[in-house]
Amino acid sequence: MASVHESLYFNPMMTNGVVHANVFGIKDWVTPYKISVLVLLSEMTKNTQITVVEKRRLKKQILPLLQGPDISLSKLLKIVGDCCPNFASSVQIRIKLMAEGELKDMEQFFDELSDSFQGTEPDVHKTSVVGLFLRHMILAYNKLSFSQVYKLYTSLQNYFQCDKTKTTTKTENEEADMELTNTEEENEEEQELSEEREMEKEDLDFPIGEEELACSGPLSQKQAEYFLSHQASLLKNDESKALSPVLLQKELNNLLKFNPDFSEAHYLSYLNSLRVQDVFSSTHSLLHYFDRLILTGAESKSNGDEGYGRSLRYAALNLAAVHCRFGHYHQAELALQEAIRIAQESSDHVCLQHCLSWLYILKSRKGEDSSVLLEHSVKKAVHFGLPYLASLGIQFLVQQRAFAGKTADKLMDALKDSDLLHWKHSLSELIDISTAQKTAVWRLYGQSTMALQQAQMLLSMDSLDSVNVSVQQNNTESFAVVLCHLAELHAEQGFFSASSEILKHLRERFPPHSQHAKLWMMFDQKIQFERAMNDGKYHVTESLVTGITALNSVEGLYRKAIVLKAQNQTAEAHKILQVLLTHCQKVKNMEMVIRVLLSLAELYWRSSCHPVALPVLLQALALSREYRLQYLASETVLNLAFSQLMLGIPEQALNILHMAIEPILAHGAVLDKGRAMFLVAKCQVASAASYSPQKKTDALESAIVNLSEAKSYFSKVDCKEQIRDILYLQARLYNSLGKIQERNKCAMLFRQMHQELPCHGVSLLIRL
């Protein structure tokens, strides 16, 4: 722990024992961009032809233009032109006259700015935002020496000429493209070449346009604070609209080059490094943030001597959170112990409560029982009036109780109590988390209808937080979880196009480099895997299994065993499933344990060891009922009924099928509905052997109806092998009933599909 503690005292700002203060030097200075903004403000006061609507649009853009970083003249004119098309030209002409004129034109312009405050009803009030900006610019300009004024005028000329050159180049490119387009009408090969050039040009232009959004030189204090707060808000609420990780880090490095002691920039660098899972850079930036915070006296100014210790303990706490996030549990525990020790020395109960919260998270990540710590944390959070921590503790407690098999009514009561806290304290983020938690709980218990209802509820809710109009508040983890569940629910019902649209929307809202992208990547790979398995394209599943394993090793190993089982590699599949079963029992992942047991039972069927499969299925049924996993219990009953059918007791199989058929038809996937109806039909056919002729005929006709329903379900998910089996059985049944025309139709369809699909033997008897 000594190394962690000593690193907190690392001071890159100290030279020969002197601590350099965290100052910007000049708070504001005149730049060519700000002169252009001044021209815009001056023209707004003089131009009387602007309509009220156009002026309102223009005023909405004033604050971002004043506080934001410097941008090119073309971009500024584009913003003005979008609000007021006719006004942009007058601004451009005024800047052109100043830039192409003489130095006295700029001098005269600044002299005229002071007139805006004259009179009983001035155009601009001195205390307004625009008035303060004008006064700062006039004051900064008046402090310049003659040589500095000349340099400013030269930079204004370069600023205008640079934009003029870009505009000329763009016009020439457009004319060249028009000439090339005329030639393309005569030659198709030239058309393809032009399209390639155009794509290359767009690829080249995109990063240039993105760089214009960022700061290209030293920023004033207000510009830097606005840039950092704006990007931090985007990272929290709408990461897709924030700068890319590479570009944002470049701008932060540029900012720190001019202001190395700016602690907020180090913290934003830490958040940016977390986006790309960079352990070294995130830890490095976090330590630098607290170094600057402590050694510049930013905390001690507001909190006295207590501020120094407060920064130290929260530095250790944040370091523990970073290590826990990256799976470095030993280092996280050491840092957490340090934070607890410092907080106890200072009697900081709030910090101790945060430490307790991270302590139970750390224990749960390590696979230890943290329920006692969790309950104690919730009680203490309520006692000290920390509703945010109390609610998070309740959410975590509900998650633990769900995995432990508690009933849904108790969990929903706990979530209802936490919702009261959320609405009482207007905790919008936690309202979203609670709704997403309900969706996940209903999915775990197999109630897809209730899960769909909760997902739709969250998507239709409005945020309570006041954010920028251009920022969407629903780009958080909760919405990512809900949309992923929604995509999976649509895929399970055979609506693959709708599922693809949802995943496409997720891909746009959460780009691959964002922190929540792993969620939709995992669901996307799983949906593609299920489709490939249904189509019998086992060669496609190999790459998908690799992708799933990279995101979730346990899920990837399970999918690999499924592929091997489908390819009749029974020994390899059995070996993998046994290893997976041992691991999941150790970490108490009961949902996966039950799925592995069901896969093992299917392996025994393929080996014609149906009596061996019965104890495995009974164990799976006992676990699913113990942990209240209703849907998995229904699947297990289906497998038990199939085993009984294979053992020659179809009547008993039909009896227990009634226990499972209703939940599956109400909440199940289309594939499971088809399997259930197919099994019912097979049990009816097997039971009809001992019936009287009339009763046998009724049973066979009922089986044909059930087979038709099963075929409609399998058609939705394109399960051709199962459809082939159904057509075979239907043809046999029609033949027994003497319906020759229907038999021939089914036989013809079976023959067509049998020729299209590879033959792996008679699968009708060994597969559910």
Side-chain angles (χ1 to χ4, degrees), residues 117 132 224 280 325 363 378 381 388 472 475 561 578 581 724:
F117 304 109
L132 289 173
F280 174 77
R325 177 171 184 152
K363 283 187 173 293
V378 173
Y388 194 91
Q472 296 183 11
N475 278 38
Q578 287 293 346
L581 181 63
R724 179 180 61 180

Side-chain angles (χ1 to χ4, degrees), residues 744-755:
N744 292 341
K745 181 180 178 182
C746 292
M748 181 189 67
L749 293 174
F750 169 78
R751 180 181 177 84
Q752 291 175 354
M753 299 196 69
H754 191 64
Q755 290 174 348

Side-chain angles (χ1 to χ4, degrees), residues 400-559:
Q400 278 195 349
R401 294 290 187 264
F403 289 131
K406 297 297 181 182
T407 56
D409 58 336
K410 293 182 179 179
L411 299 182
M412 293 303 157
D413 284 343
L415 288 174
K416 181 191 68 176
D417 295 338
S418 68
D419 285 341
L420 293 176
L421 279 175
H422 304 157
W423 291 107
K424 181 179 179 181
H425 299 279
S426 299
L427 302 174
S428 177
E429 183 181 359
L430 292 180
I431 293 171
D432 298 344
I433 292 175
S434 177
T435 311
Q437 184 90 291
K438 293 174 186 175
T439 305
V441 168
W442 286 123
R443 284 287 287 162
L444 179 67
Y445 286 159
Q447 303 286 335
S448 61
T449 307
M450 295 299 298
L452 183 62
Q453 181 192 39
Q454 293 295 326
Q456 295 288 358
M457 184 185 299
L458 179 58
L459 293 175
S460 60
M461 283 173 58
D462 292 328
S463 172
L464 298 178
D465 292 344
S466 56
V467 294
N468 196 304
V469 178
S470 62
V471 177
Q472 296 183 11
Q473 184 68 14
N474 53 3
N475 278 38
T476 56
E477 185 181 10
S478 304
F479 281 85
V481 170
V482 164
L483 285 170
C484 286
H485 281 302
L486 206 58
E488 190 177 37
L489 285 168
H490 280 81
E492 287 179 354
Q493 300 303 319
F495 304 123
F496 294 112
S497 59
S499 177
S500 299
E501 287 296 323
I502 296 172
L503 289 170
K504 180 182 177 183
H505 179 71
L506 278 164
R507 197 176 290 107
E508 294 173 355
R509 180 174 287 187
F510 303 96
H513 59 74
S514 61
Q515 56 181 330
H516 304 314
K518 285 185 177 180
L519 292 170
W520 65 258
M521 287 180 181
M522 183 66 183
F523 278 82
D524 188 19
Q525 297 281 331
K526 287 167 66 175
I527 291 171
Q528 291 184 44
F529 178 85
E530 295 297 337
R531 293 195 69 178
M533 289 296 296
N534 294 340
D535 294 341
K537 299 177 181 177
Y538 304 132
H539 62 284
V540 179
T541 58
E542 295 177 1
S543 61
L544 296 172
V545 166
T546 305
I548 293 174
T549 306
L551 298 169
N552 189 328
S553 58
V554 174
E555 193 74 30
L557 201 59
Y558 173 68
R559 304 281 169 167

Side-chain angles (χ1 to χ4, degrees), residues 163-344:
D163 178 75
K164 185 178 179 181
T165 304
K166 286 182 180 180
T167 306
T168 306
T169 306
K170 184 178 179 182
T171 306
E172 291 176 354
N173 290 337
E174 289 177 353
E175 292 176 355
D177 289 342
M178 290 176 65
E179 293 176 1
L180 188 59
T181 304
N182 294 331
T183 310
E184 286 166 5
E185 295 176 356
E186 302 174 359
N187 194 333
E188 292 181 359
E189 294 181 358
E190 291 183 7
Q191 182 179 4
E192 294 176 358
L193 181 61
S194 172
E195 288 175 355
E196 291 177 0
R197 288 177 180 174
E198 188 176 351
M199 289 175 65
E200 290 176 0
K201 188 183 75 170
E202 289 175 358
D203 293 339
L204 182 63
D205 287 344
F206 176 74
I208 294 174
E210 192 175 16
E211 286 178 1
E212 288 180 356
L213 296 173
C215 45
S216 56
L219 299 179
S220 65
Q221 182 176 358
K222 290 183 179 179
Q223 284 180 323
E225 289 173 352
Y226 175 78
F227 175 75
L228 294 178
S229 62
H230 181 62
Q231 290 299 318
S233 175
L234 289 176
L235 288 182
K236 179 185 176 184
N237 299 314
D238 197 355
E239 189 176 346
S240 61
K241 291 187 178 179
L243 293 179
S244 64
V246 176
L247 185 58
L248 179 57
Q249 192 60 47
K250 177 184 174 183
E251 298 307 327
L252 289 172
N253 292 339
N254 186 36
L255 183 62
L256 290 170
K257 181 173 68 175
F258 295 100
N259 309 289
D261 303 334
F262 197 15
S263 58
E264 288 81 0
H266 286 288
Y267 193 78
L268 187 59
S269 177
Y270 154 69
L271 295 178
N272 190 45
S273 300
L274 287 181
R275 296 167 70 189
V276 292
Q277 305 295 312
D278 189 345
V279 184
F280 174 77
S281 298
S282 59
T283 309
H284 180 78
S285 299
L286 182 66
L287 293 177
H288 273 291
Y289 165 70
F290 281 103
D291 286 340
R292 268 68 177 176
L293 200 66
I294 294 168
L295 297 173
T296 57
E299 281 287 313
S300 57
K301 287 178 183 177
S302 58
N303 298 312
D305 296 335
E306 175 62 19
Y308 182 82
R310 184 177 185 274
S311 298
L312 278 181
R313 54 184 175 265
Y314 277 101
L317 179 60
N318 278 272
L319 192 62
V322 172
H323 285 306
C324 185
R325 177 171 184 152
F326 289 114
H328 308 154
Y329 299 131
H330 180 65
Q331 291 89 336
E333 190 172 358
L334 293 176
L336 198 56
Q337 289 174 0
E338 179 74 2
I340 292 172
R341 184 185 64 79
I342 302 174
Q344 286 176 337

Side-chain angles (χ1 to χ4, degrees), residues 539-768:
H539 62 284
V540 179
T541 58
E542 295 177 1
S543 61
L544 296 172
V545 166
T546 305
I548 293 174
T549 306
L551 298 169
N552 189 328
S553 58
V554 174
E555 193 74 30
L557 201 59
Y558 173 68
R559 304 281 169 167
K560 184 179 180 181
I562 290 178
V563 175
L564 291 174
K565 179 185 66 177
Q567 293 174 341
N568 292 326
Q569 300 182 30
T570 309
E572 292 83 352
H574 186 269
K575 188 184 300 183
I576 291 175
L577 287 173
Q578 287 293 346
V579 172
L580 191 58
L581 181 63
T582 305
H583 171 75
C584 293
Q585 286 175 338
K586 183 179 179 181
V587 298
K588 296 182 179 179
N589 186 355
M590 289 305 161
E591 184 181 5
M592 185 57 71
V593 166
I594 297 169
R595 290 183 178 179
V596 170
L597 289 173
L598 294 178
S599 298
L600 282 172
E602 190 171 347
L603 281 181
Y604 294 139
W605 299 340
R606 290 175 178 267
S607 305
S608 300
C609 301
H610 297 285
V612 182
L614 282 176
V616 177
L617 291 172
L618 290 173
Q619 182 185 358
L621 183 61
L623 286 173
S624 57
R625 287 180 173 174
E626 179 184 353
Y627 288 92
R628 306 294 197 285
L629 304 177
Q630 180 185 358
Y631 191 72
L632 285 177
S634 302
E635 281 194 27
T636 308
V637 172
L638 275 184
N639 287 271
L640 274 171
F642 183 74
S643 293
Q644 290 177 337
L645 174 64
M646 293 296 100
L647 291 173
I649 44 177
E651 295 84 1
Q652 183 64 26
L654 267 177
N655 290 333
I656 67 169
L657 266 176
H658 294 297
M659 299 166 53
I661 198 72
E662 185 177 343
I664 288 178
L665 292 179
H667 304 286
V670 170
L671 182 62
D672 292 332
K673 292 178 183 178
R675 292 169 62 214
M677 298 309 299
F678 194 14
L679 181 58
V680 169
K682 286 192 283 188
C683 291
Q684 287 175 334
V685 173
S687 303
S690 59
Y691 292 169
S692 61
Q694 181 59 39
K695 191 176 180 182
K696 180 178 180 180
T697 302
D698 295 338
L700 295 182
E701 289 179 349
S702 176
I704 290 174
V705 173
N706 290 330
L707 286 172
S708 299
E709 185 177 352
K711 185 170 67 173
S712 67
Y713 288 136
F714 287 132
S715 299
K716 290 182 179 179
V717 288
D718 201 21
C719 293
K720 295 181 180 179
E721 291 188 4
Q722 284 84 351
I723 294 174
R724 179 180 61 180
D725 295 341
I726 289 175
L727 290 171
Y728 173 78
L729 188 54
Q730 276 185 326
R732 294 287 301 270
L733 293 179
Y734 281 128
N735 185 63
S736 300
L737 294 173
K739 298 182 179 181
I740 306 302
Q741 186 176 358
E742 290 83 353
R743 180 203 66 185
N744 292 341
K745 181 180 178 182
C746 292
M748 181 189 67
L749 293 174
F750 169 78
R751 180 181 177 84
Q752 291 175 354
M753 299 196 69
H754 191 64
Q755 290 174 348
E756 294 176 5
L757 299 175
C759 183
H760 300 293
V762 183
S763 61
L764 181 61
L765 299 177
I766 63 172
R767 182 174 60 194
L768 174 56

